[in-house]
């Protein structure tokens, strides 16, 4: 058994009865899960912080599923389009989420757990008592040792090789924060032109809705001055089912080998759904850069994240 792990009782496993549906599993109840060690993982599919934990959660489910661990992902949406069950179903398949997922569009499960974070992990013992929790990224060894302790097993910790969005942030070079673009939370908007670090600007026929900046018609540009290895943007076409081409420039040039997974070396990409898009993954040296996004049709842009 894993040793040196102190796990106080932190409360009881809350109810999943508020879930509107389930993926990868019939509905589960906290009572039915007695006798199992349960990891409850709160997530939403555009959250880069959760995506960078997924490789470990997936590996724990695979490693310990036959030894008594059940992972329950609770998908509680941040943005309106994440409430759509079809969108979540597609994300579960694309992101290779193989464990049970409770759909929580109305925050009923979130509130039952009194949760406030994405990602958030709660680990319960076989009696349904929560014995460990972690908010945010990191502490993977600590969480796995807690799982091992509650299962009564020991051994080497899982080894993962994250790719794509799951690659860990380059924290030493991360000087740009998560930045929302809608009128409710948007900060640091500046006039187009010479942007300072972490300022952004809009050119064209844009409006600001509560949760998004919206290009209403014609051509438009969205710019951001950032300092990070990776630059991502939650965005999608204004009209569902329409493909919208876009182009990314870095300091006025094609990104070349600094392009992200959703654009090519010339900076060209196409969006067809509301999701997180990786625009830039630049090699060293990491310096202040200006990212410019050019669109030819109406789009919605929600939030920049960096890594």
């Amino acid at each position: 058994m894993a040793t040196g792990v102190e796990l106080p009782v932190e409360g009881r496993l809350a109810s999943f009865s508020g879930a509107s549906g389930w993926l990868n599993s019939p509905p589960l109840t906290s009572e039915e899960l007695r006798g199992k060690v349960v990891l409850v993982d709160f997530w939403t599919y555009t959250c880069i912080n959760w995506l960078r934990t997924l490789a470990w959660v997936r590996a724990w489910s695979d490693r310990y599923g036959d030894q008594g661990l059940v992972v329950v992902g609770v998908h509680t949406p941040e943005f309106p389009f994440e409430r759509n069950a079809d969108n979540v179903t597609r994300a579960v398949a694309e992101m290779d989420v193989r464990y049970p997922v409770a759909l929580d569009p109305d925050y009923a499960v979130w509130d039952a757990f009194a949760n406030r974070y994405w990602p958030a992990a709660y680990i319960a013992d076989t009696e349904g008592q929560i014995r460990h929790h972690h908010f945010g990224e990191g502490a993977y060894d600590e969480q796995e040792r807690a799982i091992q302790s509650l299962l009564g097993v020991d051994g080497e910790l899982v080894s993962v090789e994250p790719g794509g969005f799951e690659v860990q942030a380059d924290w030493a070079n991360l000087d740009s924060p998560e930045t929302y673009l809608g009128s409710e939370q948007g900060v640091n908007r500046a006039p187009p032109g010479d942007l300072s670090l972490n300022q952004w600007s809009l050119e064209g026929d844009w409006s600001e809705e509560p949760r998004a900046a919206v290009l209403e018609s014609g051509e438009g540009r969205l710019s951001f001055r950032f300092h990070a290895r990776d630059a991502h943007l939650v965005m999608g076409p204004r009209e569902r089912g329409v493909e919208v081409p876009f182009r990314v420039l870095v300091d006025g040039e094609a990104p070349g080998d600094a392009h992200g997974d959703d654009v090519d070396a010339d900076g060209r990409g196409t969006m067809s759904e509301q999701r997180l898009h990786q625009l830039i993954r630049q090699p060293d040296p990491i310096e202040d850069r200006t990212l410019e996004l050019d669109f030819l049709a109406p789009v919605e842009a929600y939030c920049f994240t960096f890594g």
Side-chain angles (χ1 to χ4, degrees):
M1 181 173 178
T3 59
V5 180
E6 295 185 8
L7 300 174
V9 175
E10 301 178 355
R12 299 203 65 81
L13 196 65
S15 173
F16 300 108
S17 63
S20 66
W22 288 79
L23 303 176
N24 298 339
S25 170
L28 299 175
T29 68
S30 51
E31 291 75 19
E32 290 171 337
L33 290 168
R34 293 289 174 85
K36 300 287 188 178
V37 173
V38 182
L39 168 61
V40 180
D41 182 47
F42 281 89
W43 66 292
T44 190
Y45 71 82
T46 62
C47 178
I48 188 61
N49 307 99
W50 170 76
L51 280 160
R52 292 195 290 245
T53 71
L54 176 55
W56 279 267
V57 177
R58 186 191 296 116
W60 295 335
S61 180
D62 291 346
R63 166 75 68 82
Y64 301 108
D66 291 338
Q67 301 179 62
L69 175 70
V70 176
V71 175
V72 177
V74 179
H75 185 274
T76 310
E78 179 174 15
F79 299 112
F81 59 83
E82 292 176 301
R83 296 177 182 274
N84 183 297
D86 290 339
N87 290 347
V88 183
T89 300
R90 183 169 55 248
V92 163
E94 291 175 351
M95 296 174 178
D96 194 21
V97 177
R98 301 191 283 264
Y99 44 81
V101 173
L103 301 178
D104 188 33
D106 300 318
Y107 282 60
V109 182
W110 176 282
D111 289 340
F113 276 79
N115 185 55
R116 296 294 179 267
Y117 304 96
W118 294 285
Y122 300 89
I123 304 173
D125 63 20
T126 56
E127 299 300 316
Q129 300 176 119
I130 295 176
R131 306 293 299 278
H132 186 76
H133 73 273
H134 182 74
F135 302 141
E137 301 173 56
Y140 304 117
D141 290 0
E142 178 184 349
Q143 293 180 74
E144 187 172 359
R145 290 298 186 198
I147 292 168
Q148 288 185 341
S149 178
L150 294 176
L151 289 173
V153 303
D154 208 343
E156 294 294 323
L157 302 182
V158 297
S159 177
V160 302
E161 296 182 4
F165 288 118
E166 298 175 16
V167 171
Q168 301 304 282
D170 180 4
W171 298 108
N173 287 301
L174 181 50
D175 292 326
S176 290
E178 182 177 47
T179 301
Y180 292 87
L181 305 182
S183 59
E184 282 186 354
Q185 296 173 277
V187 295
N188 292 338
R189 182 178 174 181
D194 189 16
L195 298 178
S196 298
L197 183 63
N198 298 326
Q199 289 185 331
W200 56 279
S201 65
L202 299 170
E203 298 172 67
D205 181 23
W206 292 85
S207 64
E208 285 191 79
E209 295 185 352
R211 306 302 304 275
V214 177
L215 178 62
E216 301 284 0
S217 62
E219 299 181 10
R221 170 171 284 186
L222 169 58
S223 302
F224 197 110
R225 184 76 171 166
F226 75 101
H227 188 109
R229 182 195 65 203
D230 301 340
H232 316 100
L233 178 61
V234 179
M235 62 179 181
R238 182 64 166 166
E239 183 179 349
R240 304 300 183 263
V242 172
E243 291 191 350
V244 177
F246 62 91
R247 191 175 187 199
V248 174
L249 300 176
V250 180
D251 294 337
E253 304 289 340
D257 60 0
H259 72 91
D261 285 348
D262 288 300
V263 301
D264 61 20
D266 195 39
R268 299 188 185 279
T270 302
M271 72 177 83
S272 58
E273 59 185 304
Q274 286 75 19
R275 65 172 177 84
L276 186 69
H277 293 75
Q278 187 183 89
L279 306 176
I280 298 296
R281 173 159 284 167
Q282 60 176 321
D284 291 333
I286 309 301
E287 300 173 347
D288 291 2
R289 306 284 189 188
T290 297
L291 167 68
E292 296 168 330
L293 268 162
D294 290 329
F295 306 102
L296 299 178
V299 297
E300 301 170 344
Y302 290 85
C303 181
F304 278 102
T305 57
F306 302 93

